[in-house]
Amino acid sequence: MDKQDLIEEAKQIRSNAYTPYSKFKVGAALLTKDGSLYTGCNIENAAYPVTCCAERVAIFKAVADGQYDFQEMAVVADTKRPVPPCGSCRQVMSEFFDVDLSVHLSDLSGQIKTVRMEELLPFSFTPEDLPNDDE
């Protein structure tokens, strides 16, 4: 699957987004190194803090399925520039993605910006930052 195919998958799942409050639909497609595809769309809730973004839905679906070895991700929304993930998504992505993983950000007009995970969240908080029980 190439970058454009991954972006198309994100565009398709975007139509399933549940966004009665913001009307801001986002789709994400996550490819694992073994070729499995996981998609996600944002799902809102009247209690706004429990809303879940498309990127996290795709990652959580993959993790729930036992997948942890990711190759690349695409994120699509109807924006004026390639859509950037929110801070919460960037933190979750940094937990599961290698620093060199490619993330393709796109809008509906076809603009694409590809960045490495490390560029999305430099100097991120990682599991290595947690206290070690052996110390």
Side-chain angles (χ1 to χ4, degrees):
M1 177 172 285
D2 67 14
K3 172 174 59 175
Q4 198 58 47
D5 292 333
L6 199 61
I7 290 168
E8 285 303 316
E9 292 288 342
K11 280 183 185 177
Q12 286 180 17
I13 195 66
R14 180 183 166 275
S15 66
N16 292 347
Y18 178 74
T19 60
Y21 310 105
S22 73
K23 310 292 191 245
F24 185 69
K25 295 177 180 275
V26 181
L30 176 60
L31 186 64
T32 66
K33 289 185 179 174
D34 74 2
S36 298
L37 177 68
Y38 292 88
T39 58
C41 58
N42 52 323
I43 303 167
E44 295 180 347
N45 190 282
Y48 294 137
V50 296
T51 293
C52 196
C53 299
E55 299 92 326
R56 286 181 282 144
V57 170
I59 292 166
F60 295 161
K61 283 170 63 176
V63 170
D65 216 17
Q67 292 279 2
Y68 294 90
D69 202 11
F70 303 113
Q71 182 173 320
E72 60 187 325
M73 177 179 250
V75 184
V76 177
D78 188 7
T79 49
K80 294 180 181 176
R81 63 178 177 149
V83 65
C86 74
S88 294
C89 286
R90 291 176 196 217
Q91 181 59 44
V92 170
M93 293 162 77
S94 76
E95 177 87 11
F96 293 102
F97 294 172
D98 292 334
V99 294
D100 290 326
L101 184 135
S102 292
V103 182
H104 311 294
L105 311 175
S106 186
D107 60 19
L108 295 182
S109 73
Q111 293 183 86
I112 300 169
K113 179 170 181 66
T114 299
V115 295
R116 293 174 31 253
M117 182 57 229
E118 188 173 50
E119 294 173 276
L120 280 176
L121 190 61
F123 198 61
S124 64
F125 186 83
T126 68
E128 290 77 30
D129 295 312
L130 296 172
N132 184 339
D133 290 338
D134 296 337
E135 294 178 358

